[in-house]
Amino acid sequence: TATGQMLGTVYYVSPEQVSGADVDARSDLYSLGVVGFLALTGRFPFESDLASAVLVSHVTKTAPLVMSYQPDVPPALAAVIDRCLMKDPSARFGSALDMVAALETVIAGLDNPAMVSTALPPVPEREMRVSDTEAHAVWKRASELQALTGIQPRPVLIPGARDAQRGRFGG
C-alpha cells in the first residue's frame, strides 16, 4: 500500500498499524490474537458502530482478558491469546514459532492439569495513558483510515453452542 495507507479490517488491525508506527511480524500476532479472542468468546475485543472508534480503541484501550468473557477457557490458552493482544509489540511473542511453542505447551497440558497451571501467564501491561495531543493524532489518523477504507458493516457472528459432551474446546 502507499505510505500512510492501511490495508485491513478495523477489527483486526494492530495498534502500531493504526498509529502509523513501524510494523513487523508481531503485528500479525496481534491480529491472530483478535481471531483467537473472537473464536473463544464470540465477540471482538473492541466493538463499536463507528470504525474510527474501533481503531482508536486498539491504540488506547487495554484488550479485555479472554477469561472475563469466557471463564471456562483453559487459563493457559487464554494467557496465550491475551499476550497476543498486548499493546506493546515487545510484550507479545517474539515470533510465530514462539507462539506455536506456547500453544503446544497448552495442548500438552490439556491432558495434564499440572502443566496447565504452569503454562505462560500473560505479561503484565502498564496502564495506557494518552496525552490530548496523542489522542487527537490517533483520532485524526483513525478518521483518515476510515475514509480510505470505506465504511464497512460490522461482521455478523453466527451464534452457536459448544458441545458439552465433547469436553473442553474441541477436546
Side-chain angles (χ1 to χ4, degrees):
T1 60
T3 302
Q5 289 186 329
M6 179 184 74
L7 180 62
T9 304
V10 297
Y11 294 98
Y12 300 93
V13 297
S14 66
E16 55 272 23
Q17 286 176 290
V18 175
S19 63
D22 290 337
V23 174
D24 61 22
R26 295 171 298 180
S27 182
D28 293 334
L29 295 178
Y30 182 91
S31 300
L32 187 56
V34 173
V35 172
F37 190 93
L38 177 63
L40 293 174
T41 69
R43 68 181 305 275
F44 291 102
F46 304 110
E47 295 183 337
S48 176
D49 291 332
L50 295 174
S52 56
V54 173
L55 291 168
V56 169
S57 293
H58 282 294
V59 176
T60 62
K61 293 183 179 177
T62 300
L65 299 174
V66 169
M67 292 187 71
S68 66
Y69 287 99
Q70 198 60 260
D72 60 336
V73 170
L77 177 58
V80 168
I81 300 304
D82 294 339
R83 185 169 177 185
C84 289
L85 292 173
M86 294 291 177
K87 298 285 179 230
D88 180 357
S90 67
R92 298 178 204 144
F93 294 98
S95 70
L97 289 175
D98 293 342
M99 183 179 173
V100 168
L103 289 171
E104 287 172 345
T105 299
V106 170
I107 291 167
L110 292 177
D111 293 328
N112 181 352
M115 284 188 75
V116 172
S117 64
T118 61
L120 301 165
V123 175
E125 184 164 303
R126 295 188 313 250
E127 181 179 340
M128 293 291 297
R129 292 186 186 255
V130 180
S131 71
D132 289 345
T133 304
E134 292 169 320
H136 177 72
V138 169
W139 272 107
K140 182 178 181 219
R141 175 132 168 96
S143 64
E144 290 168 355
L145 291 172
Q146 180 173 317
L148 289 171
T149 59
I151 299 173
Q152 299 293 320
R154 182 185 305 195
V156 177
L157 301 178
I158 302 169
R162 187 171 65 95
D163 184 355
Q165 298 299 321
R166 292 194 59 201
R168 297 184 286 212
F169 294 92

